[in-house]
Amino acid sequence: MGADLCGGGHDSIRVLVVDALMAEYQDVRTKFWNDLKVQAWPPHAKLLALFLLTNPQMNVLGLYQCTRKDAAFYTGLRGKRLEDAWQRLGQPPTDPFLEYDNTRGIVWIVKAFNYRLKSPKLISAAKSILHCHGSSPLAKKIKEYYTDTLSKTK
């Protein structure tokens, strides 16, 4: 059953889960532009951040599959500009915008879940997403980061 919830197996289950965990649109708060960290980023890092916040794979937890090739395709960023943007968003180490699992091609927008109402449905969706990416070291970090919220029962 775990494989079905993560996109393998029965098409009807995959569609149901995808519809439940991914949105047709994503809110980007206007205070994004007032963040001193964002203001210090070069334009190509801002473009990459907006893509990561609004792309079709984005979900309530901000943990999803996204390769640099995907980002290059959608943003038009290539080579050094793409790598520079990716590195900038991962810094500083104490408050990164994103963390990346290079081995699995999984990105985590670190504070994405902070900006969601913590309804029982969203907590359940977050747990399902973590289950799907359980083998990624990012899943363990997220469980630690949101221990109190994710320990709540349905």
Side-chain angles (χ1 to χ4, degrees):
M1 181 159 165
D4 290 337
L5 290 174
C6 299
H10 307 290
D11 289 340
S12 60
I13 293 173
R14 178 179 8 191
V15 172
L16 174 68
V17 172
V18 167
D19 287 346
L21 301 182
M22 294 176 5
E24 288 188 25
Y25 68 92
Q26 297 290 339
D27 290 328
V28 177
R29 300 185 186 279
T30 56
K31 68 180 183 178
F32 171 85
W33 299 107
N34 296 330
D35 184 322
L36 295 176
K37 180 172 56 175
V38 173
Q39 290 176 0
W41 292 339
H44 52 282
K46 292 173 186 172
L47 174 61
L48 180 60
L50 286 174
F51 163 72
L52 292 170
L53 288 170
T54 62
N55 77 77
Q57 301 303 315
M58 179 64 168
N59 56 49
V60 298
L61 198 53
L63 178 71
Y64 56 91
Q65 187 101 28
C66 182
T67 65
R68 284 172 169 80
K69 185 177 178 180
D70 296 330
F73 175 79
Y74 286 104
T75 64
L77 295 172
R78 304 278 188 272
K80 184 172 174 11
R81 284 193 150 208
L82 178 61
E83 286 306 313
D84 178 57
W86 208 272
Q87 294 303 317
R88 290 293 291 262
L89 297 182
Q91 297 170 347
T94 56
D95 187 24
F97 174 80
L98 69 82
E99 292 204 26
Y100 191 67
D101 179 347
N102 237 352
T103 306
R104 294 167 185 83
I106 298 171
V107 68
W108 173 35
I109 308 302
V110 176
K111 294 184 180 177
F113 197 54
N114 287 351
Y115 297 103
R116 308 286 183 174
L117 296 174
K118 306 305 187 287
S119 71
K121 283 186 176 183
L122 281 183
I123 292 170
S124 178
K127 289 177 180 179
S128 294
I129 293 164
L130 279 174
H131 172 76
C132 291
H133 297 293
S135 63
S136 172
L138 294 178
K140 182 179 179 185
K141 285 185 176 186
I142 292 169
K143 287 175 186 174
E144 291 170 2
Y145 193 82
Y146 292 112
T147 298
D148 294 338
T149 303
L150 293 174
S151 64
K152 294 178 182 176
T153 59
K154 293 181 183 180

